[in-house]
Amino acid sequence: MSNKRDEIIATTCRLMEMQGYHATGLNQILEESGAPKGSLYYYFPEGKEALAIEAIEHTSRLIAANLRAGMAAHDHPADAITDFLQTLAHYVQTSGFQAGGPITAIALEAASTNEALNAACRDAYQDWQAIVEAKLNEGGYTAVRARRLASLVIAVIEGAIILSRTQRNVAPLLDAATEIGVLLRC
Amino acid sequence: MSNKRDEIIATTCRLMEMQGYHATGLNQILEESGAPKGSLYYYFPEGKEALAIEAIEHTSRLIAANLRAGMAAHDHPADAITDFLQTLAHYVQTSGFQAGGPITAIALEAASTNEALNAACRDAYQDWQAIVEAKLNEGGYTAVRARRLASLVIAVIEGAIILSRTQRNVAPLLDAATEIGVLLRC
DNA sequence: GTCTATAATACGATAGAC
DNA sequence: GTCTATCGTATTATAGAC
């Protein structure tokens, strides 16, 4: 696995996280990664869409690892999820509200127009949800409630990131952390 | 206020709701609205960005009206918000999972790249949140909790729409409706 | 006022030198 | 393998006929 190839993927992740799929041009990816245009089509002969899919998968694995670590850090799911949201708030703030919604922009742009990108996003969300759901099952919730709550947690993560980035303020993420903690102790 | 001008705005709303800002071309807007290119720049001499801002404001007012009607439809905030999310689920489903996140895509694309669009999205979210917050205050929650919960409700609406559209399944919206109802009765 | 034709530019993708 | 130059086609925006 080449080093420059990884750098192209990393740059694609970063730019599409900030701007989305269509707003991110291949030229910009090449400029910021330092790679020339020939290299891009050598490594990704199938073009922009294939590159975006690899970027989504890379980001998905990264978030999944963070989620797993976060869930393992506390016994009670409420503590784990609250802590995860607070850590996310810190991350969004230190990025200057540029990072945080790794695949959300692509998910929305492509939800009804691009089948391949949609599938990649769908897989990512389901992986994340399964991690949270497993933690809730361990925590003693009923199976049906664990599934519902896991879905809600992923929705809250995505939605609160959008609000925080739009408002340039981490309050939505911190508020969500607090209230989801309350809900999980009901 | 011209009729054709309104039609251009309505088409812009619809297309950007599905595809986002950058993926929606002016040519496509003109094709689908039936207006010629000359008309667009007659009505919107400041170009695409100004058109998008008017589209955001139009959508924002529409959602605000729906939210107000939804909040007034039940005495208890929990019932009102649960009902609103279920109605939203129905709307997303009947649109074939194409509609629902009216300004979310633009909010993400422009969060860190376009100040004017970002401001328009920020205003929309704050208007919606104020409507929910007022209902929660009436419902007897403390001021600080009403603010936190209103923020969470808007985040859940946005996040659950994203998941439902990506998965082509209204379960995330319906799950959110159920669990937010539980939380609001804590 | 309404429209067509077109300019200027950026895009994704490719061809071919080395 | 790595790169440069370039193609064809989108894009936004404008100029000018009627």
Side-chain angles (χ1 to χ4, degrees):
Chain A
M1 187 66 78
S2 163
N3 204 340
K4 198 163 272 180
R5 190 189 138 95
D6 289 350
E7 207 168 341
I8 291 175
I9 292 178
T11 305
T12 305
C13 286
R14 188 170 51 81
L15 291 175
M16 290 198 179
E17 189 171 342
M18 293 193 298
Q19 305 166 342
Y21 178 77
H22 286 94
T24 302
L26 297 181
N27 291 323
Q28 190 186 11
I29 293 171
L30 293 170
E31 267 179 41
E32 303 215 6
S33 69
K37 188 164 286 194
S39 296
L40 193 149
Y41 279 94
Y42 172 73
Y43 290 120
F44 304 94
E46 290 172 57
K48 185 181 186 179
E49 187 182 289
L51 170 57
I53 288 174
E54 286 218 41
I56 292 169
E57 290 169 349
H58 177 261
T59 304
S60 172
R61 282 191 296 272
L62 215 75
I63 302 291
N66 284 344
L67 257 178
R68 262 188 287 268
M71 293 305 102
H74 296 85
D75 271 352
H76 197 294
D79 294 326
I81 290 163
T82 300
D83 192 11
F84 183 82
L85 279 163
Q86 286 168 346
T87 305
L88 197 55
H90 181 72
Y91 172 68
V92 169
Q93 184 157 42
T94 53
S95 80
F97 299 98
Q98 300 210 326
I103 66 172
T104 318
I106 304 177
L108 273 167
E109 286 178 272
S112 47
T113 56
N114 187 314
E115 195 53 47
L117 290 178
N118 174 254
C121 295
R122 193 167 47 224
D123 290 347
Y125 286 136
Q126 281 174 351
D127 287 349
W128 303 346
Q129 186 172 332
I131 293 167
V132 176
E133 187 176 344
K135 179 68 178 179
L136 290 166
N137 272 314
E138 287 172 30
Y141 296 86
T142 65
V144 63
R145 188 125 199 270
R147 195 191 47 69
R148 273 206 311 257
L149 284 169
S151 173
L152 179 71
V153 166
I154 304 299
V156 166
I157 290 173
E158 295 297 311
I161 287 174
I162 294 168
L163 293 189
S164 283
R165 288 186 61 191
T166 303
Q167 299 177 12
R168 312 252 167 100
N169 185 330
V170 287
L173 275 162
L174 297 178
D175 292 344
T178 302
E179 291 296 340
I180 288 294
V182 172
L183 170 62
L184 291 175
R185 288 196 178 81
C186 279
Chain B
M1 187 67 77
S2 164
N3 204 342
K4 199 162 272 182
R5 190 189 138 96
D6 289 350
E7 208 168 340
I8 291 175
I9 291 179
T11 305
T12 305
C13 287
R14 189 169 52 81
L15 291 175
M16 291 196 179
E17 188 172 343
M18 294 193 298
Q19 306 167 341
Y21 178 78
H22 284 94
T24 302
L26 297 181
N27 290 323
Q28 192 185 9
I29 293 171
L30 293 170
E31 267 178 41
E32 302 214 8
S33 69
K37 186 163 285 191
S39 295
L40 195 150
Y41 279 94
Y42 171 73
Y43 290 121
F44 304 95
E46 290 171 55
K48 185 182 186 178
E49 187 181 290
L51 169 58
I53 288 173
E54 285 217 40
I56 292 169
E57 289 170 348
H58 177 260
T59 303
S60 172
R61 281 191 296 270
L62 215 74
I63 302 291
N66 284 343
L67 257 179
R68 263 187 286 267
M71 294 305 103
H74 296 84
D75 271 354
H76 197 294
D79 294 326
I81 289 163
T82 299
D83 191 15
F84 183 82
L85 278 163
Q86 286 168 347
T87 304
L88 197 56
H90 180 74
Y91 172 69
V92 169
Q93 184 157 43
T94 53
S95 80
F97 300 98
Q98 300 210 324
I103 65 172
T104 319
I106 305 175
L108 273 167
E109 287 178 271
S112 46
T113 55
N114 186 315
E115 195 53 49
L117 290 178
N118 174 253
C121 294
R122 193 167 48 225
D123 289 347
Y125 285 135
Q126 281 174 352
D127 287 350
W128 303 346
Q129 186 171 331
I131 292 168
V132 176
E133 186 175 345
K135 179 69 178 179
L136 290 166
N137 272 315
E138 289 171 27
Y141 296 86
T142 64
V144 62
R145 187 122 200 271
R147 195 192 47 70
R148 274 207 310 256
L149 284 169
S151 173
L152 179 72
V153 166
I154 303 300
V156 166
I157 289 173
E158 295 296 311
I161 287 174
I162 293 169
L163 292 189
S164 283
R165 289 186 61 190
T166 302
Q167 299 178 11
R168 310 253 168 99
N169 185 329
V170 288
L173 275 162
L174 296 178
D175 291 344
T178 302
E179 291 297 341
I180 288 294
V182 172
L183 171 62
L184 291 175
R185 288 195 178 84
C186 279

